Amino acid sequence: MKVTIVGAGNVGATCADAIAYRRIASEIVLLDIREGFAEGKALDIMQTQTTLGFNTKVSGSTNDYSKTAGSDVVVITSGIPRKPGMTREELIGINAGIVKGVAENLLAHSPNAIVVVVSNPMDTMTYLTLKATGLPKNRIIGMGGTLDSSRFKTYLSLALDKPANDIQGMVIGGHGDTTMIPLTRLASYNGVPVSEFLSADELAKVSADTMVGGATLTALLGTSAWYAPGASVAFLVDSILNDQKKMIPCSVMLEGEYGQSDICIGVPCIIGRNGIEKIVNIELNEEEKAKFAKSADAVRAMNGDLKSILS
Ligand SMILES: NC(=O)C1=CN([C@@H]2O[C@H](COP(=O)(O)OP(=O)(O)OC[C@H]3O[C@@H](n4cnc5c(N)ncnc54)[C@H](O)[C@@H]3O)[C@@H](O)[C@H]2O)C=CC1
Ligand SMILES: O=C([O-])CC(=O)C(=O)O
């Protein structure tokens, strides 16, 4: 199975590393516009093969899409990351043009690929990719909910002082500092609702920390995060290529689900070899429904900024 990752920067290279090390694909191509950069990252990853024990072929390309031909999955991480104090939404001006051009180039060489969109503002970039390429909605997957849910479970594990892998939980809604919806009501510690162990105030803090999880890291690092984002992409690609049918919150085009249409936003999806195989319609309570509608309003307003690029 072949995976192409466009953007060999922090997230793209980390994701290539995780996919190679975990033997999720047999071949990975990293592509970047920076001369020699993707080749360098690929060679560095290849030189971990004997010490880490994998045989995945990893190669790099400076903007030559012919090397990406026949990919089963393509991942778009190209574009600029935010700096401290910025929102993801502020990246739209530069990233929209990059993502549109990259998606078109990728599909010209891999017409059957499933596309994973990572560049921010991710929900809007997913919508743009869908509209610009005209691909069926099952083949365009926005990655944000995987990461937000892993942050949610990390903060829950810290609050509970219990292992993160004993915790279940999901974040739906937009992938933005104010649009994410950590589903605290449904989160559990080995099947027991976390509300049995944490007070309402403690849960509210976990939720707030999760929502600004990316901003917290950006303030600490000077640029946005990459280890958890890269690992989250690898987790999603694993569910696609190995047809695991995991339920993962992903940004997907809604057609009436959750009361929304003509918008890409995070909801739980079954992810398998056909990409988005099913949207799981979970019953939200009134408060969650109101939050989801507000989140969708914000994402839809951002999509409005794509008018010039899509016309
Ligand atoms: N959806 C999510 O959960 C997450 C999204 N992100 C987003 O992912 C994007 C990448 O972040 P980083 O890897 O940290 O940035 P980075 O700056 O380390 O890497 C971006 C790479 O894209 C390349 N690039 C730019 N234009 C290109 C083009 N036209 N063709 C090919 N390559 C091109 C650059 O040369 C650079 O190497 C950002 O937009 C960031 O906001 C980051 C983390 C999580
Ligand atoms: O915070 C950012 O800008 C990058 C991102 O989407 C994340 O780490 O969640």
Side-chain angles (χ1 to χ4, degrees):
M1 292 285 182
K2 180 171 176 178
V3 176
T4 287
I5 300 158
V6 178
N10 284 337
V11 177
T14 307
C15 152
D17 191 36
I19 291 174
Y21 180 34
R22 292 186 48 210
R23 300 172 217 175
I24 291 167
S26 52
E27 183 178 357
I28 301 169
V29 177
L30 265 172
L31 183 146
D32 203 286
I33 39 164
R34 268 197 271 176
E35 187 69 43
F37 190 62
E39 288 85 339
K41 290 286 179 99
L43 193 56
D44 196 10
I45 293 171
M46 284 291 270
Q47 290 169 1
T48 67
Q49 279 184 115
T50 55
T51 42
L52 295 177
F54 65 88
N55 292 307
T56 310
K57 184 180 170 211
V58 189
S59 61
S61 162
T62 302
N63 224 21
D64 176 2
Y65 281 83
S66 66
K67 295 188 177 154
T68 71
S71 294
D72 298 287
V73 174
V74 296
V75 180
I76 303 178
T77 76
S78 45
I80 56 163
R82 63 173 156 168
K83 297 240 177 308
M86 289 173 74
T87 65
R88 295 175 180 87
E89 287 75 10
E90 287 174 70
L91 305 173
I92 190 171
I94 295 179
N95 287 356
I98 293 175
V99 168
K100 182 168 181 275
V102 165
E104 287 163 353
N105 283 331
L106 280 169
L107 287 161
H109 292 84
S110 300
N112 300 316
I114 289 172
V115 185
V116 176
V117 181
V118 181
S119 310
N120 273 316
M122 182 277 295
D123 298 291
T124 298
M125 294 302 102
T126 306
Y127 182 83
L128 168 65
T129 304
L130 196 110
K131 294 283 174 185
T133 63
L135 284 186
K137 63 184 250 184
N138 64 299
R139 285 177 51 200
I140 312 267
I141 310 176
M143 195 299 290
T146 323
L147 172 63
D148 302 332
S149 301
S150 75
R151 287 186 178 140
F152 182 37
K153 288 181 268 190
T154 301
Y155 282 119
L156 280 170
S157 89
L158 292 171
L160 288 161
D161 195 23
K162 295 286 183 288
N165 284 298
D166 278 359
I167 291 159
Q168 296 80 37
M170 283 194 298
V171 177
I172 61 169
H175 179 62
D177 297 341
T178 57
T179 56
M180 271 174 224
I181 307 164
L183 292 173
T184 46
R185 180 179 62 91
L186 301 175
S188 73
Y189 166 49
N190 278 333
V192 183
V194 290
S195 55
E196 298 270 331
F197 309 101
L198 297 173
S199 67
D201 283 354
E202 286 169 321
L203 279 175
K205 179 163 177 3
V206 165
S207 197
D209 287 346
T210 302
M211 291 174 77
V212 295
T216 301
L217 284 159
T218 304
L220 291 167
L221 297 167
T223 183
S224 57
W226 57 90
Y227 292 116
S232 298
V233 178
F235 181 85
L236 189 58
V237 171
D238 193 15
S239 195
I240 300 168
L241 288 183
N242 293 308
D243 200 24
Q244 291 178 340
K245 307 203 189 296
K246 281 183 186 291
M247 180 165 74
I248 304 175
C250 294
S251 189
V252 60
M253 174 63 88
L254 297 185
E255 292 168 304
E257 301 91 345
Y258 292 87
Q260 299 293 332
S261 292
D262 194 35
I263 187 170
C264 292
I265 188 166
V267 293
C269 298
I270 303 300
I271 304 294
R273 193 62 195 88
N274 299 311
I276 309 257
E277 300 201 342
K278 187 175 189 285
I279 292 173
V280 182
N281 228 330
I282 54 174
E283 191 59 39
L284 300 180
N285 66 22
E286 290 310 312
E287 187 190 349
E288 293 156 352
K289 276 185 194 158
K291 283 184 182 168
F292 194 85
K294 197 169 164 218
S295 176
D297 285 349
V299 172
R300 189 171 281 107
M302 192 82 259
N303 292 347
D305 287 9
L306 294 174
K307 278 205 181 86
S308 60
I309 193 158
L310 281 173
S311 58

